Amino acid sequence: MKEVKLSVSAIENGTVIDHIPAQNLFKVITILGLEKIDNLITFGTNMESHRLGRKAIIKVANKFFEREEINRIALVAPHAKLNIIRDFNVVEKQVVEVPESIEGIVKCVNPKCITNAEAVKTKFSVIDKQTVALKCHYCEKITDQEHMVYL
Amino acid sequence: MMKNKSLVAINDLSKDEIIKTLDLAEEFEKNPIQDILSKTVVATLFFEPSTRTRLSFESAVSRLGGRVIGFSEAANTSVSKGESLKDTILTVANYSDLIVMRHPIEGSARYASEVSPVPIINAGDGANQHPTQTLLDLYSIRKTQGTLQNLNIFLVGDLKYGRTVHSLMMAMSQFGATFTFVSPNELKMPNEYKMFLDGQGIKYYEQTDLNENLDKADIIYMTRVQRERFSDPLEYEKVKNVYVLRNKMLENTKPNMRVLHPLPRVNEIHTDVDPSSKAYYFPQALNGVYTRMAIMAQILGL
C-alpha cells in the first residue's frame, strides 16, 4: 500500500483555505486576524499550483468563518477556495466573493486623503469587481490593484 | 437638500434638489436682506485661506441677520498646536449651528460631516469638492441663459486638475449639455470624465486652440493655467499666453454668450473683456452670495 503524505496535516474540524497566492499568505493571515486567535493553525506555502504558480494553504482547526469575514480576503486571494471540514470530511466548499464595500485593510492611494492625514479608518466602494478598483469614500480617488498597500 | 444634512459633494444633491436650490436663490436675489438667521451662529473654519469664498459666506450670513465666528487660516489656532480635525469640529459644534469649512486635505469634509453633530458645508476640500461653487455656477448659467437645458459649454484652461470644471461638467451633464474642452495637451480632461460622458451619451469636443468655434458657445468658462501644474517649465512658457481671452475674440460669439470664471483671475481674461456685456464673472461672484443663502436656509430648515 502506498503511503499518502500530506504536506500539511489534516484537521478533524475546521476550515481549509486553499489557492492562496503564495506571496499573499501573510496578508491573508493578517486580514483574518489569525495571529490573534488560539486555535490550532497549520499552513504551507510555495506549493506547486497550475493556476497560481506557487500557492499557499491554511488550515484552521475548529474555526468557521462568516461570509463577510471571508470576503475580506478577496483583495489578496480572489481565487481562494474554502473547504469546511467536519469529522475529517469536506462537508461544504465556498468561494470568495469581492464585496461591495471594504473598510480598513487597504490604504488610500492619495497622499492628500484624510485617511492618510489623521486617524480615520479607510472606507471604499468597489467600483470594479473584476480588476478590484476601489473608490475612496472620503477623497473619491480610485485605488487600483497595482497601487494597493495593505494596512 | 434636506434639513440638518451636510453638503459635502455636488453629487449628494439630486437634479430636483439642485433646481430647488436655484429657485430659492432666485428668491433671495429678489429679497436679499432678511432677518431669518437672527438667532443663528455660523462657524467659518478656513484651515487654508480662501478670502473670496469666506467673505461670500460671511456676507450671506450677515445679510440674513446671522452671526459668524471662525478663523481664516490655521495658523494661530489650536490646529497649529496639533489638534485633530475631529476635536476641532466637536469643539466648534458646541458654539455654532452650522459649520462652513475649507480644508487642504481631501475627504476632510466628508469625515467632518460624519463626526459633527451640526451640519457641515464643504467650502472646498483640497482638489476634491467645492459644491457651493458649482451651485453658483449653475445659478449663473441659468440666470444668463434662461435655462440649463441643452447648452453649449466651453471649458477652458486647466481641465486636468481643475476641480471646478470637473464638478460643473458632472452637474451640467444632467441637463443635456454639449461640451467643448479647450486646453493644452498637458492639461486635457482626464479619461475617467470622458468615459463618464460617453456612458451618458453626451457629446463633447476637444481642441487646443482657444480661437476655434467660439461662435457656437453659450457659455465660455475660463480657468487659470497654473505654472506649478507643469512638469516641464518650458511647456508652461509656451502655453501661458495662449489661453488668454481677449475682447476681440468675442466679436462673432452669440448675443446670449457669457464669459464665466471662478476667480481669482490672473491674466487668462484680458481686462479689455471687462467692459463687455458678455463678461459675467463679477456678477457671478455676487450670485455666490444668493446661492449660499439658499443652501444655508435649506440646511437650517428656515
Side-chain angles (χ1 to χ4, degrees), chain B:
Chain B
M1 205 172 322
M2 307 295 281
K3 191 179 166 187
N4 289 330
K5 270 220 189 146
S6 294
L7 175 60
V8 175
I10 189 68
N11 30 326
D12 291 350
L13 300 181
S14 68
K15 188 175 170 179
D16 285 347
E17 286 171 323
I18 289 175
I19 291 169
K20 197 179 152 206
T21 304
L22 303 187
D23 290 344
L24 189 59
E26 217 169 79
E27 295 301 315
F28 279 113
E29 182 172 359
K30 285 179 204 150
N31 198 0
I33 299 174
Q34 300 182 34
D35 223 15
I36 58 173
L37 295 186
S38 62
K39 295 202 166 54
T40 302
V41 176
V42 173
T44 53
L45 307 188
F46 278 60
F47 296 86
E48 65 176 4
S50 173
T51 309
R52 188 174 330 273
T53 303
R54 185 172 57 84
L55 294 183
S56 174
F57 268 108
E58 295 186 357
S59 169
V61 174
S62 302
R63 289 200 194 281
L64 297 181
R67 296 293 183 101
V68 176
I69 59 171
F71 51 81
S72 57
E73 55 181 321
N76 307 321
T77 70
S78 52
V79 180
S80 65
K81 297 174 192 159
E83 188 181 48
S84 71
L85 175 60
K86 182 181 174 181
D87 287 8
T88 307
I89 294 292
L90 289 177
T91 309
V92 174
N94 292 321
Y95 312 145
S96 57
D97 305 297
L98 173 67
I99 295 174
V100 176
M101 80 173 239
R102 168 88 157 208
H103 200 290
I105 297 292
E106 292 157 25
S108 53
R110 178 75 63 200
Y111 175 63
S113 76
E114 289 173 354
V115 298
S116 174
V118 302
I120 302 279
I121 295 178
N122 182 6
D125 59 328
N128 188 32
Q129 287 274 348
H130 190 5
T132 65
Q133 176 72 47
T134 310
L135 286 165
L136 82 88
D137 290 342
L138 293 173
Y139 185 79
S140 300
I141 293 171
R142 190 174 82 163
K143 193 177 160 193
T144 58
Q145 307 300 314
T147 177
L148 286 173
Q149 290 294 335
N150 305 318
L151 295 171
N152 210 330
I153 312 282
F154 278 54
L155 301 173
V156 184
D158 179 358
L159 307 185
K160 186 174 181 184
Y161 300 102
R163 164 186 70 192
T164 311
V165 289
H166 296 158
S167 299
L168 179 61
M169 191 202 77
M170 298 296 270
M172 282 304 292
S173 67
Q174 299 186 65
F175 298 94
T178 302
F179 297 99
T180 301
F181 304 137
V182 188
S183 71
N185 277 321
E186 283 219 11
L187 298 176
K188 280 170 86 168
M189 183 62 76
N191 274 332
E192 53 185 291
Y193 292 103
K194 289 190 260 181
M195 279 160 61
F196 169 80
L197 294 179
D198 289 334
Q200 304 280 308
I202 290 164
K203 272 198 280 184
Y204 60 87
Y205 305 93
E206 286 185 289
Q207 62 188 52
T208 51
D209 187 349
L210 179 56
N211 286 293
E212 279 175 23
N213 300 316
L214 289 182
D215 56 329
K216 297 192 177 71
D218 295 307
I219 293 290
I220 300 177
Y221 197 100
M222 298 294 298
T223 62
R224 197 149 40 103
V225 173
Q226 295 175 60
R227 181 190 301 267
E228 56 269 30
R229 300 298 190 200
F230 286 80
S231 47
D232 182 354
L234 270 179
E235 286 298 317
Y236 172 74
E237 291 305 318
K238 270 193 243 165
V239 302
K240 72 172 182 189
N241 293 321
V242 176
Y243 297 90
V244 177
L245 193 69
R246 290 171 184 278
N247 196 37
K248 200 172 176 321
M249 294 157 72
L250 303 180
E251 260 171 22
N252 296 317
T253 54
K254 292 188 195 176
N256 63 298
M257 195 284 292
R258 291 294 178 272
V259 179
L260 302 187
H261 191 301
L263 303 180
R265 153 184 66 173
V266 182
N267 67 340
E268 58 279 3
I269 302 176
H270 195 279
T271 48
D272 70 9
V273 180
D274 295 356
S276 165
S277 60
K278 291 174 178 175
Y280 196 71
Y281 26 94
F282 293 114
Q284 180 186 1
L286 173 59
N287 292 338
V289 177
Y290 307 135
T291 311
R292 288 171 176 130
M293 286 174 172
I295 293 163
M296 288 189 285
Q298 285 182 91
I299 290 176
L300 293 166
L302 302 169

Side-chain angles (χ1 to χ4, degrees), chain A residues 110 112-114 117-120 123 137-141, chain B residues 9 84-86 104-108 110-111 114 128-129:
Chain A
N110 177 10
K112 290 191 71 186
C113 177
I114 184 76
E118 293 208 8
V120 180
K123 205 166 152 187
H137 166 72
Y138 294 102
C139 76
E140 307 184 21
K141 294 283 180 297
Chain B
S84 71
L85 175 60
K86 182 181 174 181
I105 297 292
E106 292 157 25
S108 53
R110 178 75 63 200
Y111 175 63
E114 289 173 354
N128 188 32
Q129 287 274 348

Side-chain angles (χ1 to χ4, degrees), chain A residues 22-132:
Chain A
Q23 71 274 18
N24 290 344
L25 167 65
F26 291 97
K27 286 173 190 159
V28 170
I29 289 173
T30 308
I31 290 168
L32 293 177
L34 298 182
E35 72 265 67
K36 298 187 193 96
I37 61 173
D38 296 332
N39 304 44
L40 176 68
I41 301 169
T42 50
F43 63 82
T45 187
N46 294 328
M47 302 158 108
E48 295 220 356
S49 160
H50 290 302
R51 197 164 176 186
L52 300 168
R54 286 169 153 201
K55 70 166 186 177
I57 186 168
I58 306 174
K59 300 188 180 190
V60 192
N62 302 314
K63 170 87 182 164
F64 304 95
F65 296 93
E66 298 292 329
R67 198 68 251 172
E68 308 85 73
E69 231 178 327
I70 209 68
N71 284 344
R72 288 160 53 93
I73 70 169
L75 296 177
V76 291
H79 305 296
K81 304 252 179 334
L82 278 80
N83 294 317
I84 314 302
I85 314 286
R86 293 191 198 272
D87 293 329
F88 294 105
N89 291 317
V90 177
V91 295
E92 195 190 336
K93 286 176 180 281
Q94 294 177 351
V95 291
V96 171
E97 281 170 31
V98 180
E100 300 287 332
S101 64
I102 286 169
E103 285 190 36
I105 308 174
V106 179
K107 257 172 80 82
C108 177
V109 73
N110 177 10
K112 290 191 71 186
C113 177
I114 184 76
T115 59
N116 289 316
E118 293 208 8
V120 180
K121 193 179 183 186
T122 61
K123 205 166 152 187
F124 302 91
S125 56
V126 180
I127 54 163
D128 189 329
K129 289 196 176 187
Q130 287 303 312
T131 62
V132 195

